[in-house]
Amino acid sequence: AQKITQTQPGMFVQEKEAVTLDCTYDTSDPSYGLFWYKQPSSGEMIFLIYQGSYDEQNATEGRYSLNFQKARKSANLVISASQLGDSAMYFCAMREGGTYKYIFGTGTRLKVLA
Amino acid sequence: EAQVTQNPRYLITVTGKKLTVTCSQNMNHEYMSWYRQDPGLGLRQIYYSMNVEVTDKGDVPEGYKVSRKEKRNFPLILESPSPNQTSLYFCASSFLGSGVSGGYTFGSGTRLTVV
């Protein structure tokens, strides 16, 4: 069955350091997309980055990169040079190509320390 | 401005009183979906739609109805709300095709309280 697991309920990182948020997934569909979203304390949901299951290179968007390890079924988000504004809840998500179901993990709350 | 417009932002209602939360997008997205967000549970998919007149159940569809009569609109209907449907609801839309990322644009959310 389709599943997303985020095992870190909360994390701290020092400003200007890099941080990795973990995400593992499970699906039997060979075609799928993996996504990360940010939810600041204001509540809006912001799309950060996407990785397709057939993409050979890891996705990058500015300070965000997605460390895609297909054999391990992991899609970790790496934020480089953390900023105070990065403090938020982060959600990993997956959409299957066959069913089009689009599910989310339970999230990781990141706090960036000055 | 490209956006998903969701209304109302806040709603307090009584058990059993039918309500509709509206969702409209102006980006010509094929895919639209509804989620509920509860503490510790992340976002759970209620229903989704791949195009006009094509909808399917997500993981938590009980107690909800949807329809997609026009591409831009995807209302969420609670025929007989109950207190366990008290939650934060999000509408989201995206493109649905090969070569596109499928990253969502979200509405601002509807905080629903059923008493």
Side-chain angles (χ1 to χ4, degrees):
Chain A
Q2 188 188 26
K3 189 175 182 181
I4 290 279
T5 303
Q6 294 181 255
T7 57
Q8 306 154 312
M11 289 190 71
F12 292 94
V13 65
Q14 208 64 38
E15 195 178 8
K16 298 178 186 173
E17 292 187 349
V19 62
T20 298
L21 306 183
D22 294 341
C23 173
T24 58
Y25 62 91
D26 192 21
T27 179
S28 56
D29 194 328
S31 175
Y32 52 89
L34 296 160
F35 307 83
W36 278 92
Y37 291 85
K38 174 183 179 181
Q39 186 178 41
S41 57
S42 52
E44 74 265 35
M45 294 288 294
I46 303 165
F47 165 59
L48 295 178
I49 194 166
Y50 160 78
Q51 178 87 39
S53 59
Y54 296 118
D55 294 341
E56 295 188 351
Q57 293 205 326
N58 287 343
T60 60
E61 289 287 348
R63 294 186 298 110
Y64 303 109
S65 60
L66 198 153
N67 185 359
F68 180 44
Q69 298 189 45
K70 196 168 183 176
R72 298 179 62 184
K73 292 190 173 180
S74 74
N76 298 339
L77 178 71
V78 180
I79 305 175
S80 63
S82 297
Q83 302 172 355
L84 295 177
D86 294 334
S87 294
M89 182 74 90
Y90 289 82
F91 292 99
C92 181
M94 174 174 67
R95 184 168 73 194
E96 287 185 332
T99 67
Y100 297 111
K101 271 192 163 181
Y102 200 139
I103 65 166
F104 284 72
T106 53
T108 296
R109 186 171 297 280
L110 177 68
K111 175 73 173 174
V112 180
L113 304 173
Chain B
E1 180 191 353
Q3 60 186 357
V4 175
T5 303
Q6 191 181 330
N7 283 299
R9 288 294 306 274
Y10 301 92
L11 180 59
I12 301 174
T13 190
V14 297
T15 299
K17 186 176 181 182
K18 181 180 178 179
L19 67 91
T20 299
V21 185
T22 63
C23 176
S24 181
Q25 51 95 4
N26 63 0
M27 296 161 283
N28 203 34
H29 286 164
E30 300 92 353
Y31 191 93
M32 298 186 74
S33 186
W34 279 100
Y35 292 85
R36 60 178 290 172
Q37 183 177 14
D38 301 290
L41 298 179
L43 282 81
R44 293 180 292 167
Q45 193 171 37
I46 303 170
Y47 272 96
Y48 58 101
S49 169
M50 289 75 81
N51 216 322
V52 175
E53 303 291 3
V54 182
T55 62
D56 208 345
K57 296 177 181 178
D59 290 330
V60 289
E62 296 78 18
Y64 305 94
K65 282 177 58 175
V66 294
S67 67
R68 186 98 179 267
K69 294 183 170 55
E70 304 165 285
K71 196 170 186 179
R72 63 184 294 125
N73 296 325
F74 191 47
L76 178 70
I77 302 161
L78 285 73
E79 295 265 0
S80 183
S82 63
N84 65 11
Q85 292 178 299
T86 292
S87 187
L88 176 60
Y89 291 85
F90 283 103
C91 180
S93 71
S94 74
F95 287 115
L96 184 67
S98 60
V100 294
S101 78
Y104 273 142
T105 301
F106 277 87
S108 301
T110 296
R111 188 163 291 282
L112 173 66
T113 302
V114 184
V115 298

PDB file of all heavy atoms in Angstrom, chain A residues 2-21:
ATOM      1  N   GLN A   2       0.341   2.293  -0.571  1.00  0.00           N
ATOM      2  CA  GLN A   2       1.061   3.558  -0.645  1.00  0.00           C
ATOM      3  C   GLN A   2       1.257   4.142   0.748  1.00  0.00           C
ATOM      4  O   GLN A   2       0.307   4.212   1.535  1.00  0.00           O
ATOM      5  CB  GLN A   2       0.218   4.499  -1.494  1.00  0.00           C
ATOM      6  CG  GLN A   2       0.849   5.802  -1.861  1.00  0.00           C
ATOM      7  CD  GLN A   2      -0.159   6.728  -2.542  1.00  0.00           C
ATOM      8  OE1 GLN A   2      -1.355   6.626  -2.332  1.00  0.00           O
ATOM      9  NE2 GLN A   2       0.329   7.636  -3.357  1.00  0.00           N
ATOM     10  N   LYS A   3       2.466   4.566   1.065  1.00  0.00           N
ATOM     11  CA  LYS A   3       2.732   5.092   2.402  1.00  0.00           C
ATOM     12  C   LYS A   3       3.921   6.042   2.382  1.00  0.00           C
ATOM     13  O   LYS A   3       4.885   5.836   1.637  1.00  0.00           O
ATOM     14  CB  LYS A   3       3.032   3.941   3.365  1.00  0.00           C
ATOM     15  CG  LYS A   3       3.108   4.362   4.810  1.00  0.00           C
ATOM     16  CD  LYS A   3       3.278   3.151   5.721  1.00  0.00           C
ATOM     17  CE  LYS A   3       3.314   3.597   7.180  1.00  0.00           C
ATOM     18  NZ  LYS A   3       3.504   2.464   8.094  1.00  0.00           N
ATOM     19  N   ILE A   4       3.844   7.088   3.195  1.00  0.00           N
ATOM     20  CA  ILE A   4       4.945   8.025   3.398  1.00  0.00           C
ATOM     21  C   ILE A   4       5.261   8.052   4.887  1.00  0.00           C
ATOM     22  O   ILE A   4       4.354   8.195   5.702  1.00  0.00           O
ATOM     23  CB  ILE A   4       4.553   9.448   2.941  1.00  0.00           C
ATOM     24  CG1 ILE A   4       4.422   9.512   1.434  1.00  0.00           C
ATOM     25  CG2 ILE A   4       5.563  10.463   3.438  1.00  0.00           C
ATOM     26  CD1 ILE A   4       5.716   9.664   0.694  1.00  0.00           C
ATOM     27  N   THR A   5       6.534   7.958   5.242  1.00  0.00           N
ATOM     28  CA  THR A   5       6.938   7.954   6.650  1.00  0.00           C
ATOM     29  C   THR A   5       7.963   9.041   6.908  1.00  0.00           C
ATOM     30  O   THR A   5       9.003   9.106   6.246  1.00  0.00           O
ATOM     31  CB  THR A   5       7.523   6.588   7.044  1.00  0.00           C
ATOM     32  OG1 THR A   5       6.560   5.563   6.788  1.00  0.00           O
ATOM     33  CG2 THR A   5       7.878   6.576   8.523  1.00  0.00           C
ATOM     34  N   GLN A   6       7.643   9.908   7.853  1.00  0.00           N
ATOM     35  CA  GLN A   6       8.601  10.908   8.343  1.00  0.00           C
ATOM     36  C   GLN A   6       8.804  10.617   9.821  1.00  0.00           C
ATOM     37  O   GLN A   6       7.880  10.777  10.611  1.00  0.00           O
ATOM     38  CB  GLN A   6       8.052  12.326   8.123  1.00  0.00           C
ATOM     39  CG  GLN A   6       7.910  12.690   6.663  1.00  0.00           C
ATOM     40  CD  GLN A   6       7.384  14.097   6.473  1.00  0.00           C
ATOM     41  OE1 GLN A   6       6.215  14.303   6.122  1.00  0.00           O
ATOM     42  NE2 GLN A   6       8.248  15.081   6.688  1.00  0.00           N
ATOM     43  N   THR A   7       9.989  10.179  10.171  1.00  0.00           N
ATOM     44  CA  THR A   7      10.230   9.674  11.522  1.00  0.00           C
ATOM     45  C   THR A   7      10.693  10.740  12.507  1.00  0.00           C
ATOM     46  O   THR A   7      10.800  10.474  13.701  1.00  0.00           O
ATOM     47  CB  THR A   7      11.292   8.564  11.490  1.00  0.00           C
ATOM     48  OG1 THR A   7      12.473   9.090  10.901  1.00  0.00           O
ATOM     49  CG2 THR A   7      10.789   7.368  10.688  1.00  0.00           C
ATOM     50  N   GLN A   8      10.965  11.946  12.021  1.00  0.00           N
ATOM     51  CA  GLN A   8      11.466  13.012  12.899  1.00  0.00           C
ATOM     52  C   GLN A   8      10.324  13.998  13.180  1.00  0.00           C
ATOM     53  O   GLN A   8      10.028  14.843  12.357  1.00  0.00           O
ATOM     54  CB  GLN A   8      12.614  13.761  12.223  1.00  0.00           C
ATOM     55  CG  GLN A   8      13.747  12.892  11.744  1.00  0.00           C
ATOM     56  CD  GLN A   8      14.494  13.537  10.571  1.00  0.00           C
ATOM     57  OE1 GLN A   8      13.870  14.006   9.624  1.00  0.00           O
ATOM     58  NE2 GLN A   8      15.809  13.558  10.641  1.00  0.00           N
ATOM     59  N   PRO A   9       9.701  13.931  14.345  1.00  0.00           N
ATOM     60  CA  PRO A   9       8.616  14.876  14.626  1.00  0.00           C
ATOM     61  C   PRO A   9       9.133  16.315  14.715  1.00  0.00           C
ATOM     62  O   PRO A   9       8.445  17.255  14.319  1.00  0.00           O
ATOM     63  CB  PRO A   9       8.075  14.424  15.980  1.00  0.00           C
ATOM     64  CG  PRO A   9       8.616  13.061  16.180  1.00  0.00           C
ATOM     65  CD  PRO A   9       9.880  12.957  15.397  1.00  0.00           C
ATOM     66  N   GLY A  10      10.357  16.478  15.258  1.00  0.00           N
ATOM     67  CA  GLY A  10      10.910  17.804  15.407  1.00  0.00           C
ATOM     68  C   GLY A  10      12.421  17.783  15.304  1.00  0.00           C
ATOM     69  O   GLY A  10      13.070  16.789  15.635  1.00  0.00           O
ATOM     70  N   MET A  11      12.968  18.904  14.799  1.00  0.00           N
ATOM     71  CA  MET A  11      14.421  19.020  14.670  1.00  0.00           C
ATOM     72  C   MET A  11      14.845  20.455  14.923  1.00  0.00           C
ATOM     73  O   MET A  11      14.083  21.392  14.655  1.00  0.00           O
ATOM     74  CB  MET A  11      14.874  18.629  13.263  1.00  0.00           C
ATOM     75  CG  MET A  11      14.779  17.165  12.939  1.00  0.00           C
ATOM     76  SD  MET A  11      15.596  16.812  11.396  1.00  0.00           S
ATOM     77  CE  MET A  11      17.313  17.040  11.862  1.00  0.00           C
ATOM     78  N   PHE A  12      16.090  20.594  15.412  1.00  0.00           N
ATOM     79  CA  PHE A  12      16.703  21.893  15.578  1.00  0.00           C
ATOM     80  C   PHE A  12      17.939  21.963  14.685  1.00  0.00           C
ATOM     81  O   PHE A  12      18.624  20.963  14.474  1.00  0.00           O
ATOM     82  CB  PHE A  12      17.130  22.127  17.032  1.00  0.00           C
ATOM     83  CG  PHE A  12      15.998  22.261  17.992  1.00  0.00           C
ATOM     84  CD1 PHE A  12      15.536  21.152  18.701  1.00  0.00           C
ATOM     85  CD2 PHE A  12      15.373  23.481  18.191  1.00  0.00           C
ATOM     86  CE1 PHE A  12      14.482  21.271  19.589  1.00  0.00           C
ATOM     87  CE2 PHE A  12      14.314  23.606  19.076  1.00  0.00           C
ATOM     88  CZ  PHE A  12      13.865  22.494  19.774  1.00  0.00           C
ATOM     89  N   VAL A  13      18.212  23.159  14.168  1.00  0.00           N
ATOM     90  CA  VAL A  13      19.442  23.362  13.404  1.00  0.00           C
ATOM     91  C   VAL A  13      19.933  24.778  13.671  1.00  0.00           C
ATOM     92  O   VAL A  13      19.125  25.703  13.878  1.00  0.00           O
ATOM     93  CB  VAL A  13      19.219  23.147  11.886  1.00  0.00           C
ATOM     94  CG1 VAL A  13      18.269  24.177  11.310  1.00  0.00           C
ATOM     95  CG2 VAL A  13      20.551  23.146  11.134  1.00  0.00           C
ATOM     96  N   GLN A  14      21.234  24.929  13.696  1.00  0.00           N
ATOM     97  CA  GLN A  14      21.815  26.251  13.900  1.00  0.00           C
ATOM     98  C   GLN A  14      21.754  27.019  12.591  1.00  0.00           C
ATOM     99  O   GLN A  14      21.944  26.443  11.495  1.00  0.00           O
ATOM    100  CB  GLN A  14      23.273  26.097  14.351  1.00  0.00           C
ATOM    101  CG  GLN A  14      23.804  27.215  15.208  1.00  0.00           C
ATOM    102  CD  GLN A  14      23.114  27.343  16.546  1.00  0.00           C
ATOM    103  OE1 GLN A  14      22.759  26.350  17.185  1.00  0.00           O
ATOM    104  NE2 GLN A  14      22.920  28.570  16.988  1.00  0.00           N
ATOM    105  N   GLU A  15      21.486  28.296  12.696  1.00  0.00           N
ATOM    106  CA  GLU A  15      21.470  29.164  11.514  1.00  0.00           C
ATOM    107  C   GLU A  15      22.762  28.990  10.724  1.00  0.00           C
ATOM    108  O   GLU A  15      23.843  28.857  11.296  1.00  0.00           O
ATOM    109  CB  GLU A  15      21.328  30.614  11.971  1.00  0.00           C
ATOM    110  CG  GLU A  15      20.938  31.602  10.904  1.00  0.00           C
ATOM    111  CD  GLU A  15      20.785  33.015  11.460  1.00  0.00           C
ATOM    112  OE1 GLU A  15      21.133  33.228  12.635  1.00  0.00           O
ATOM    113  OE2 GLU A  15      20.315  33.895  10.707  1.00  0.00           O
ATOM    114  N   LYS A  16      22.629  28.961   9.398  1.00  0.00           N
ATOM    115  CA  LYS A  16      23.723  28.848   8.419  1.00  0.00           C
ATOM    116  C   LYS A  16      24.236  27.417   8.263  1.00  0.00           C
ATOM    117  O   LYS A  16      25.075  27.181   7.387  1.00  0.00           O
ATOM    118  CB  LYS A  16      24.894  29.791   8.741  1.00  0.00           C
ATOM    119  CG  LYS A  16      24.497  31.261   8.715  1.00  0.00           C
ATOM    120  CD  LYS A  16      25.663  32.171   9.074  1.00  0.00           C
ATOM    121  CE  LYS A  16      25.188  33.611   9.175  1.00  0.00           C
ATOM    122  NZ  LYS A  16      26.235  34.522   9.679  1.00  0.00           N
ATOM    123  N   GLU A  17      23.749  26.490   9.071  1.00  0.00           N
ATOM    124  CA  GLU A  17      24.148  25.101   8.886  1.00  0.00           C
ATOM    125  C   GLU A  17      23.162  24.399   7.949  1.00  0.00           C
ATOM    126  O   GLU A  17      22.047  24.863   7.720  1.00  0.00           O
ATOM    127  CB  GLU A  17      24.223  24.391  10.223  1.00  0.00           C
ATOM    128  CG  GLU A  17      25.349  24.902  11.106  1.00  0.00           C
ATOM    129  CD  GLU A  17      25.515  24.084  12.362  1.00  0.00           C
ATOM    130  OE1 GLU A  17      24.646  23.241  12.662  1.00  0.00           O
ATOM    131  OE2 GLU A  17      26.539  24.299  13.057  1.00  0.00           O
ATOM    132  N   ALA A  18      23.589  23.237   7.436  1.00  0.00           N
ATOM    133  CA  ALA A  18      22.719  22.416   6.597  1.00  0.00           C
ATOM    134  C   ALA A  18      21.935  21.439   7.480  1.00  0.00           C
ATOM    135  O   ALA A  18      22.394  21.055   8.567  1.00  0.00           O
ATOM    136  CB  ALA A  18      23.532  21.654   5.565  1.00  0.00           C
ATOM    137  N   VAL A  19      20.760  21.049   6.997  1.00  0.00           N
ATOM    138  CA  VAL A  19      19.931  20.099   7.738  1.00  0.00           C
ATOM    139  C   VAL A  19      19.274  19.138   6.749  1.00  0.00           C
ATOM    140  O   VAL A  19      18.944  19.527   5.621  1.00  0.00           O
ATOM    141  CB  VAL A  19      18.866  20.841   8.584  1.00  0.00           C
ATOM    142  CG1 VAL A  19      17.908  21.631   7.705  1.00  0.00           C
ATOM    143  CG2 VAL A  19      18.122  19.884   9.494  1.00  0.00           C
ATOM    144  N   THR A  20      19.118  17.892   7.178  1.00  0.00           N
ATOM    145  CA  THR A  20      18.471  16.866   6.360  1.00  0.00           C
ATOM    146  C   THR A  20      17.196  16.395   7.051  1.00  0.00           C
ATOM    147  O   THR A  20      17.244  15.977   8.218  1.00  0.00           O
ATOM    148  CB  THR A  20      19.399  15.668   6.124  1.00  0.00           C
ATOM    149  OG1 THR A  20      20.560  16.097   5.402  1.00  0.00           O
ATOM    150  CG2 THR A  20      18.681  14.589   5.312  1.00  0.00           C
ATOM    151  N   LEU A  21      16.091  16.458   6.332  1.00  0.00           N
ATOM    152  CA  LEU A  21      14.821  15.959   6.840  1.00  0.00           C
ATOM    153  C   LEU A  21      14.520  14.637   6.132  1.00  0.00           C
ATOM    154  O   LEU A  21      14.529  14.565   4.905  1.00  0.00           O
ATOM    155  CB  LEU A  21      13.695  16.971   6.558  1.00  0.00           C
ATOM    156  CG  LEU A  21      13.949  18.401   7.060  1.00  0.00           C
ATOM    157  CD1 LEU A  21      12.733  19.274   6.791  1.00  0.00           C
ATOM    158  CD2 LEU A  21      14.314  18.408   8.527  1.00  0.00           C
TER     159      LEU A  21
END
